[in-house]
C-alpha cells in the first residue's frame, strides 16, 4: 500500500450537490438520554465548502453560483467525520503473538504479569527514534482518517519512563502540526508499573507526580492525564495521588476504569471532576446513578475492545434509558483493539449494545466533539466548522451504514475540504 499523504487544504469554493441526506446539521449539543435519538437531517440538498471550511448548505434548488469546482454526490449522503476521543495510536509494533496466546487460554492479566502487554509495547517503543515513531504513527493516523475519523485524542503510556513518555507526546504534537487535524494529547504514564518498579510503586508514583507531570505541563505537551485503574495496575489511592498532581498542573483527568472489575475508579474520577470514565464493561446501577449526578464526566464506551477481549459489553442501553449521554470510541491500540475504524464501532454499538443507529452516530460525532472541546471545529455540519466529511455511496437510509460495516460504503473521505484525499 502506498503511504498516505496529508491532503492540502482545499482552496476556493467547492459545491457538492445532489446529496440525498446531509446528516447532523446545525451546531449541535451534547446529547443525553432521549435526546440521543435526535439527529437533524436535510434531504436533497447541497453543501458549500470554502477554503477548507463549511460555508453553507440548503435545498438542491438553491445551490449557489460562482463555484470553482462542482462535485456530484450522485445521491450519496454526507456525514460529519467521526471524532475518536480514546486512542493509543502512537505505538511501535503490533502484538498479534499475544492475540494467539489469549486464544490458547492465557488471560490479559497473566500476559501482563509475564512482562507482555503494555510492558512489551514499552520495550519496543523505547528502542525507536522519535522520527521512526512519528513516521509510523502518521501513517496510522492517516489510515484511521481513511476509515472516516478526522479528530482524535491520543494517549501516551507506552514509554513508562520520562524520556520515552515525552518522546510520545512530542510525536503527538508533530502529528497535530503536520496533519492540521483537531488532536488532543493525554499523558498516560500511569498505564502499567514498569518492571523495575514492580515492587516499589511509591517510587514510580513519585516520578509520575514530581518529574513527568511538571515537565509535560511546563512544555505544554498534554491536555489531559489518564491512568489504568484496575486490579494489578493502579489502585484508587494511587490514582488519587496522580490526579491531585495532574490537576495542580492544569491537566484534566480522564480514567480507564471498570474494564475487568469494580475498581472504585468511577467514584474517584467523579470526585476529581474527570472529563470521562472509559471502558465500564463492569458497571452497576449504583455507578450509573453516580454518573447521572456528574454530567461533566462522560461514559466513554469501547465496543471493539470489549468484543476483542471477549468481555461483556457495558450496559449502554440502560445508561441511555436512565438519562446519560454516552460517547463511543475505538480504543485503537496494539493489545486490545487493533482496529481504528469507527464504522465497526458503530456496528457493534448497534448489534451488541442495542443502540439505534442515530444514538450511536451522536456518540461518534457531536458528543465526543463536545467531550474534547472541539465542538466549534467538528462533530456536525455547520457553517464555520472544518470540512472533514464522509460522502457515502447511494444508500436507502442511514441504517444501511452500521448494518454493513466492512462494505466499502465510503465513496469519498474529505479532509480539510479536499475531496481527493480518498476516492473509492
Ligand atoms: O484501553 N486498558 C488499558 N489500556 C488499553 C490497552 C493497552 C494495551 O494492552 O496495550 C485499553 O484497552
Ligand atoms: Fe484505552
Amino acid at each position: 500500500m502506498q503511504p498516505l499523504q496529508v491532503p492540502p487544504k482545499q482552496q476556493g469554493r467547492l459545491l457538492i450537490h445532489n446529496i440525498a441526506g446531509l446528516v447532523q446539521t446545525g451546531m449541535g449539543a451534547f446529547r443525553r438520554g432521549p435526546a440521543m435519538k435526535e439527529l437533524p437531517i436535510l434531504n436533497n440538498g447541497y453543501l458549500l465548502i470554502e477554503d477548507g471550511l463549511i460555508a453553507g448548505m440548503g435545498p438542491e434548488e438553491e445551490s449557489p453560483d460562482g463555484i470553482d469546482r462542482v462535485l456530484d454526490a450522485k445521491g450519496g449522503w454526507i456525514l460529519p467525520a467521526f471524532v475518536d476521543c480514546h486512542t493509543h495510536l502512537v505505538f511501535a509494533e503490533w502484538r498479534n503473538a499475544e492475540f494467539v496466546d489469549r486464544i490458547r487460554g492465557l488471560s490479559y492479566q497473566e500476559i501482563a504479569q509475564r512482562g507482555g502487554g503494555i510492558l512489551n509495547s514499552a520495550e519496543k517503543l523505547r528502542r525507536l527514534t522519535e522520527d521512526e515513531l512519528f513516521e509510523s504513527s502518521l501513517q496510522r493516523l492517516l489510515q484511521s482518517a481513511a476509515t472516516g475519523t478526522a479528530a482524535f485524542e491520543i494517549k501516551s503510556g507506552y514509554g513508562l519512563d520520562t524520556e520515552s513518555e515525552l518522546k510520545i507526546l512530542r510525536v503527538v504534537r508533530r502529528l497535530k502540526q503536520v496533519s492540521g487535524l483537531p488532536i488532543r494529547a493525554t499523558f498516560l504514564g500511569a498505564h502499567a508499573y514498569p518492571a523495575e518498579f514492580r515492587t516499589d510503586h511509591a517510587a514510580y508514583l513519585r516520578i509520575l507526580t514530581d518529574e513527568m507531570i511538571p515537565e509535560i505541563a511546563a512544555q505544554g505537551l498534554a491536555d489531559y492525564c489518564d491512568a489504568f485503574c484496575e486490579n494489578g495496575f493502579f489502585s484508587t489511592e494511587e490514582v488519587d495521588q496522580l490526579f491531585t498532581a495532574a490537576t495542580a498542573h492544569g491537566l484534566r483527568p480522564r480514567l480507564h476504569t471498570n474494564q475487568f472489575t469494580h475498581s472504585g475508579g468511577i467514584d474517584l474520577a467523579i470526585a476529581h471532576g474527570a472529563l470521562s470514565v472509559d471502558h465500564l464493561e463492569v458497571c452497576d446501577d449504583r455507578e450509573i446513578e453516580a454518573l447521572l449526578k456528574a454530567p461533566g464526566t462522560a461514559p466513554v464506551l469501547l465496543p471493539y475492545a470489549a468484543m476483542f477481549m471477549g468481555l461483556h459489553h457495558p450496559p449502554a442501553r440502560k445508561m441511555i434509558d436512565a438519562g446519560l449521554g454516552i460517547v463511543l470510541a475505538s480504543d485503537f491500540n496494539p493489545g486490545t483493539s487493533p482496529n481504528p475504524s469507527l464504522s465497526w464501532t458503530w456496528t457493534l454499538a448497534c448489534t451488541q449494545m442495542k443502540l439505534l443507529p442515530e444514538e450511536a452516530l451522536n456518540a461518534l460525532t457531536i458528543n465526543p466533539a463536545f467531550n474534547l472541546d472541539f465542538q466549534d471545529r467538528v462533530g456536525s455540519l455547520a457553517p464555520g466548522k472544518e470540512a472533514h466529511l464522509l460522502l457515502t455511496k447511494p444508500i436507502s437510509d442511514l441504517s444501511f451504514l452500521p448494518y454493513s460495516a466492512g462494505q466499502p460504503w465510503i465513496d469519498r473521505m474529505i479532509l480539510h475540504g479536499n475531496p481527493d484525499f480518498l476516492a473509492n
Side-chain angles (χ1 to χ4, degrees):
M1 193 170 138
Q2 289 281 79
L4 291 164
Q5 308 281 344
V6 177
K9 190 195 268 190
Q10 167 266 346
Q11 301 294 321
R13 281 157 66 86
L14 165 69
L15 177 75
I16 309 178
H17 77 113
N18 203 4
I19 306 167
L22 287 123
V23 180
Q24 191 69 289
T25 54
M27 282 307 288
F30 188 90
R31 299 202 170 98
R32 300 172 198 277
M36 286 212 63
K37 286 199 282 293
E38 287 168 16
L39 187 69
I41 295 180
L42 170 67
N43 289 115
N44 305 318
Y46 76 86
L47 182 79
L48 181 66
I49 300 171
E50 202 163 336
D51 298 337
L53 300 181
I54 296 173
M57 67 201 75
E60 175 78 14
E61 55 280 11
E62 292 173 18
S63 299
D65 303 323
I67 296 303
D68 300 300
R69 178 172 173 188
V70 176
L71 190 69
D72 184 351
K74 298 185 182 134
W77 290 52
I78 292 262
L79 282 68
F82 300 126
V83 177
D84 196 344
C85 81
H86 182 139
T87 82
H88 308 248
L89 70 77
V90 177
F91 59 83
E93 286 181 27
W94 298 105
R95 302 213 308 261
N96 40 305
E98 292 175 7
F99 163 72
V100 178
D101 289 340
R102 280 205 308 279
I103 296 170
R104 294 212 162 101
L106 282 182
S107 71
Y108 182 76
Q109 289 92 329
E110 282 163 344
I111 292 170
Q113 274 152 20
R114 291 159 45 148
I118 295 164
L119 297 189
N120 174 5
S121 281
E123 195 194 311
K124 305 269 165 44
L125 185 140
R126 288 172 181 184
R127 290 198 223 126
L128 292 191
T129 67
E130 194 164 320
D131 285 344
E132 288 167 335
L133 189 60
F134 169 73
E135 290 304 334
S136 64
S137 301
L138 180 63
Q139 281 310 303
R140 275 195 294 276
L141 182 86
L142 293 172
Q143 280 156 10
S144 306
T147 69
T149 306
F152 300 85
E153 180 263 15
I154 306 175
K155 301 173 193 294
S156 68
Y158 292 132
L160 308 182
D161 62 37
T162 305
E163 194 34 49
S164 310
E165 286 293 309
L166 287 169
K167 177 166 81 178
I168 299 174
L169 292 170
R170 284 193 301 267
V171 165
V172 176
R173 183 169 63 189
R174 266 172 89 183
L175 291 173
K176 190 159 134 181
Q177 286 161 350
V178 168
S179 71
L181 294 173
I183 293 176
R184 297 276 182 223
T186 299
F187 169 54
L188 178 57
H191 202 185
Y193 280 100
E196 52 276 31
F197 293 102
R198 180 161 283 167
T199 54
D200 192 358
H201 287 190
Y204 187 59
L205 266 173
R206 272 197 303 278
I207 295 175
L208 290 170
T209 58
D210 299 359
E211 197 175 302
M212 295 195 206
I213 287 177
E215 190 56 33
I216 287 161
Q219 294 191 35
L221 281 170
D223 304 286
Y224 311 122
C225 178
D226 195 348
F228 187 15
C229 186
E230 190 59 66
N231 241 341
F233 293 85
F234 288 77
S235 69
T236 48
E237 292 74 22
E238 291 163 349
V239 177
D240 189 31
Q241 282 182 47
L242 178 86
F243 280 179
T244 302
T247 305
H249 285 87
L251 304 181
R252 298 282 306 272
R254 319 179 74 92
L255 190 61
H256 281 76
T257 188
N258 293 48
Q259 183 177 13
F260 303 114
T261 57
H262 288 278
S263 64
I266 294 180
D267 296 310
L268 181 83
I270 291 172
H272 280 274
L275 290 166
S276 66
V277 280
D278 303 46
H279 277 291
L280 313 191
E281 280 84 351
V282 180
C283 184
D284 62 22
D285 291 354
R286 192 202 60 76
E287 287 164 320
I288 292 178
E289 276 302 310
L291 286 167
L292 277 166
K293 294 192 195 112
T297 304
V300 174
L301 311 182
L302 312 163
Y304 199 90
M307 181 276 291
F308 199 75
M309 298 299 285
L311 302 174
H312 282 290
H313 287 270
R317 186 69 266 156
K318 215 175 192 182
M319 289 175 177
I320 296 174
D321 292 345
L324 285 175
I326 65 158
V327 178
L328 292 163
S330 71
D331 197 13
F332 182 30
N333 78 75
T336 66
S337 189
N339 180 355
S341 165
L342 288 175
S343 66
W344 276 99
T345 295
W346 194 358
T347 296
L348 290 172
C350 295
T351 59
Q352 308 303 302
M353 298 175 169
K354 304 292 175 229
L355 263 60
L356 292 168
E358 294 81 2
E359 292 174 316
L361 189 61
N362 277 316
L364 290 166
T365 54
I366 196 68
N367 279 7
F370 271 90
N371 188 258
L372 296 176
D373 199 19
F374 279 146
Q375 66 275 13
D376 295 337
R377 297 178 64 182
V378 289
S380 68
L381 306 180
K385 288 201 186 189
E386 295 171 20
H388 309 304
L389 312 165
L390 286 154
L391 169 60
T392 75
K393 308 232 186 260
I395 50 171
S396 53
D397 65 74
L398 198 71
S399 66
F400 184 79
L401 304 180
Y403 160 79
S404 63
Q407 292 191 41
W409 55 257
I410 300 180
D411 188 58
R412 280 174 193 265
M413 180 62 200
I414 301 171
L415 274 194
H416 296 297
N418 188 328
D420 301 320
F421 169 60
L422 187 94
N424 288 316

